[in-house]
Amino acid sequence: MVVVVDPLYVSLFVDDPTPLAMLLVHDAAYFQFGTTEVIETPSAHAHLRHKKYSHLNGACVGVLDDMKPSWRTWTRGDPHVAWVYVVGELPQSELSTQGARTGLLDGKHSFVSPLAATRRISVRRSPDGTGRWVPAHVLRPFVPAGVPDTVAVQRVCDLIAKCKHHSGGKKRPMPEAARFSSTKRRAAKIHTKDGMMYFVDRLRPLPH
């Protein structure tokens, strides 16, 4: 949903207002996050710093496996652990208008924001009081700098039509306990602008 100009800093939040780690996505194009580097961690996990992964989902899994191994037994509904602090005009009505898998937490559904494909925003490495946190996966599609708006919009439509708007992480097997628990969770009904309807688990509040 943004013309990629600023470095794409991504903070990992796990049930705490303090980031678990900070990542830097070196390349992102449309619905795919490319090479991602771990740039900040607590000192006890300094061995992760400067480690690179082929995509954002891989980096999230690598960091979580090392720092929060219990995440593989999570049964919560929120698929978002990766967040970006953004500044600029980004109407809420243009966010999360198309369902998409994140590739994390058993491939649960997240959303992407094709209506915001040509918005220009800035990314901050840390919050400065001028912007807000948005889930990294929801910010997709990322339009490369220099691509005309009309071309970008057509490209986004083509990718969605081909179902290429899902992120590229590998799914992991769902633990037996998670499969049982997932049948007990209540789902919320969400209507989108294009008239489609999705059932998703309740998402937790934005980090702050």
Side-chain angles (χ1 to χ4, degrees):
M1 53 109 280
V2 55
V3 175
V4 182
V5 177
D6 296 330
L8 186 53
Y9 295 106
V10 178
S11 297
L12 299 189
F13 288 92
V14 180
D15 300 326
D16 193 287
T18 301
L20 186 68
M22 181 175 288
L23 312 176
L24 174 61
V25 180
H26 288 284
D27 54 276
Y30 295 98
F31 297 102
Q32 299 301 319
F33 294 99
T35 303
T36 302
E37 179 181 2
V38 182
I39 59 174
E40 289 183 16
T41 65
S43 56
H45 299 272
H47 59 279
L48 289 174
R49 296 173 191 167
H50 307 300
K51 187 171 183 178
K52 293 183 178 180
Y53 297 82
S54 60
H55 48 70
L56 176 62
N57 285 342
C60 292
V61 170
V63 171
L64 290 171
D65 276 347
D66 190 277
M67 300 178 67
K68 290 277 187 179
S70 62
W71 81 280
R72 290 189 175 276
T73 61
W74 288 351
T75 58
R76 67 184 193 177
D78 186 4
H80 300 121
V81 295
W83 298 76
V84 178
Y85 192 83
V86 301
V87 178
E89 185 178 1
L90 189 59
Q92 190 65 35
S93 61
E94 294 182 0
L95 296 180
S96 301
T97 57
Q98 175 73 44
R101 292 188 299 274
T102 65
L104 284 173
L105 296 181
D106 306 309
K108 291 185 180 299
H109 272 73
S110 178
F111 293 88
V112 292
S113 306
L115 295 182
T118 57
R119 292 286 180 180
R120 272 81 171 163
I121 62 171
S122 294
V123 175
R124 298 287 190 267
R125 181 166 180 155
S126 56
D128 59 6
T130 64
R132 57 176 165 147
W133 290 103
V134 179
H137 288 83
V138 169
L139 286 176
R140 298 175 296 158
F142 291 92
V143 176
V147 176
D149 288 356
T150 54
V151 175
V153 170
Q154 185 59 53
R155 176 64 171 162
V156 167
C157 291
D158 290 345
L159 289 170
I160 291 176
K162 296 175 181 178
C163 294
K164 292 186 177 182
H165 55 292
H166 305 294
S167 62
K170 292 182 179 180
K171 291 186 180 180
R172 60 183 175 85
M174 181 183 288
E176 187 67 29
R179 287 199 297 270
F180 176 79
S181 176
S182 66
T183 63
K184 302 296 183 180
R185 289 199 298 262
R186 296 185 63 186
K189 186 185 296 184
I190 295 180
H191 294 272
T192 65
K193 279 193 170 185
D194 57 9
M196 298 184 71
M197 182 173 67
Y198 300 94
F199 290 87
V200 298
D201 292 316
R202 180 178 59 83
L203 301 181
R204 65 186 167 102
L206 296 175
H208 52 272

